[in-house]
Amino acid sequence: MSFANARTTRPLLLGSRHMVSAGHPLAAHAALIVLEAGGNAVDAGVAAGFALNVTQPDMANLGGVAPVLIHMSGRDLVTSIAGIGHWPALATLEAVKAAGNGRIPAAPQRWVVPGALDAWLKSLELYGTISAAEALAPAIDLARHGFPVYYFLRHNLIEAAPLWTGWSNAAVYMADGRVPEEGEPLRQVALAETLERLAAAEKAAGGSRENGIRAARDCFYRGEIAEIAGRFSQEVGGFLRASDMAAYEAAEEPVLSVTYHGRCFYGCGPWSQGPAVLQMLKMAERYDIAVLPEAELHHLLIEIAERALHERNRYYGDPRINEIDTEWLLSDAHAAELTGGLDAYHRAADNDALPRPGRRSPDTTYVCVVDRHGNAFSATPSDSTILVTPMIPGLGFGLSDRGLQASLDPANPNAVAPGKRPRLTPNPGLMMGPEGLMVYGTPGGEVQTQAMLQFLMHHLHRGADLQAAVETPRWASYGVPATEDPHSARPGLVYVEEPLINKVGPRLKDLGHDPKPWPRLAALSGGICAIRRDAGTGVLSGAGDPRRMSYAMGR
């Protein structure tokens, strides 16, 4: 398929100074404010992250998770911040299993320590230039004064409202007893006050910028906020306590990387599903993606994605607990093993005999920034305070229920254990090569890695510019057991967006798949944001996915 004259719903955004793309336009604007004031990519990315916690409470929250990738051009550095909390000390495998009657409980017993707040502040402390108060300012304004409810948020509020019996969520999201209409303001005063506490703690600490940021962090993890959170967890039956909060620190951890056609692609470690994208690339490198007929291309990519996700389920987990041979997982030799026999691979499965998906999980959002110096920030915050998690009264955020993505099989590397981090689906991406730098990512749970793979293949090999690659019709396979309990799978099932299914559906069926239609620009197929910076000219291109609220801004 040629993309030379591809029509998109939005133009490709070009700039020469800085660029941001985020899951909500107001979060992108928060980053742009910081960039225009002279802040770097990390400053802007953290400001956008805080703003996303306000504008997309159905997608992420202050008490959730936030894996981060950072590139600092002056230091020739790529690093990650592991914004994922650990299981509480009381959360033994036996206790969690008993609480859920043999499953991961859809209840407070699956809550883990919040990781997002420390990920934002750790990023700012180590690689930013502004204060926590400056990074918090746009989010505080949005929370206190409100923003207009948009269609996607209203849809999720309507869906979640029946769950809120006895929860404080209703007092925030249904202040007058009803879900707000599109365009009505949503104010989150308690959340604004929590964010203001952090800024006040920083100011009271005095001293260096870094010392103030650490004081804001301690206000959350070791002060009254932690005490309130711990008491609330105990009152509703959760295992998390203030002592678990005090013991936590987001870790700066080495990134993983692979070379792919002369470019270096980076991902977070096996505490996320980031290595799966890298494994997919190593498998795809063995094929001439540019010349494959369209149906055969999608068949190949589906099989590559499924094999990488099987690898994820078999090997990935918290590397502080598990010994994981990532060098072998990402090697050319292992890619050759995984693709052996792929061309002849056909599937036979009884779809109706397999378990259906369980209760809906938290969703996710994304932000990326590239600044005037070529520094880059890529982060995928997650965990909703609307869909499944009760809000802590008076604080305006909920505790991370990321434990739903763990396993109760003691032999699984992602098994529940006190102090262990459950493996995340959120996984930001970053690429560096002779032609420049690119940051990219998406929400979507099991779909994330698959959407990222398709975006990269269309952009790098099929002639699509950044926006066209974002909007190109996508598919998602549900043939591999999901990360989330009850780890459902439907071997063969592939949802394919229109009009792509009309072109490739019959051939995919011949090749052993079970294609089902998705509408054009289906929200469940992800919401990719991406920025690219040309190494020669410094020109920036930005793209935002119209499937969701994603939006790019820059100049």
Side-chain angles (χ1 to χ4, degrees), residues 452-493:
M452 293 162 78
L453 173 67
Q454 293 168 79
F455 161 75
L456 291 171
M457 295 301 101
H458 286 302
H459 180 53
L460 298 177
H461 300 299
R462 307 288 281 196
D465 69 27
L466 216 60
Q467 186 65 40
V470 164
E471 294 195 29
T472 301
R474 295 196 288 262
W475 47 261
S477 167
Y478 290 84
V480 177
T483 299
E484 297 170 4
D485 189 87
H487 312 296
S488 306
R490 301 264 321 261
L493 177 64

Side-chain angles (χ1 to χ4, degrees), residues 190-242:
L191 178 57
E193 291 173 348
T194 294
L195 299 177
E196 287 166 347
R197 283 192 200 184
L198 304 180
E202 176 186 52
K203 183 178 180 180
S208 68
R209 185 186 72 90
E210 292 78 8
N211 184 62
I213 293 171
R214 287 193 290 271
R217 179 207 177 276
D218 287 345
C219 174
F220 187 91
Y221 286 97
R222 296 178 181 174
E224 186 182 13
I225 292 174
E227 293 293 335
I228 294 171
R231 284 198 303 271
F232 177 70
S233 171
Q234 186 170 6
E235 289 167 2
V236 297
F239 296 125
L240 187 138
R241 300 292 183 268

Side-chain angles (χ1 to χ4, degrees), residues 19-21 368-370 437-439 466 530-532 540-541:
M19 187 74 66
V20 56
S21 185
C368 55
V369 185
V370 178
L437 172 148
M438 184 165 68
V439 278
L466 216 60
I531 300 169
R532 186 158 181 168
L540 294 148
S541 54

Side-chain angles (χ1 to χ4, degrees), residues 127 179 357:
Y127 300 107
V179 172

Side-chain angles (χ1 to χ4, degrees), residues 115 125 160 224 248 287 314 319 364 366 379 394 406 450 463 477 515 518 530 536:
E125 176 191 348
E224 186 182 13
Y248 176 72
Y287 301 87
R314 184 176 182 183
T364 304
Y366 178 75
Q450 302 177 65
S477 167
W518 257 343

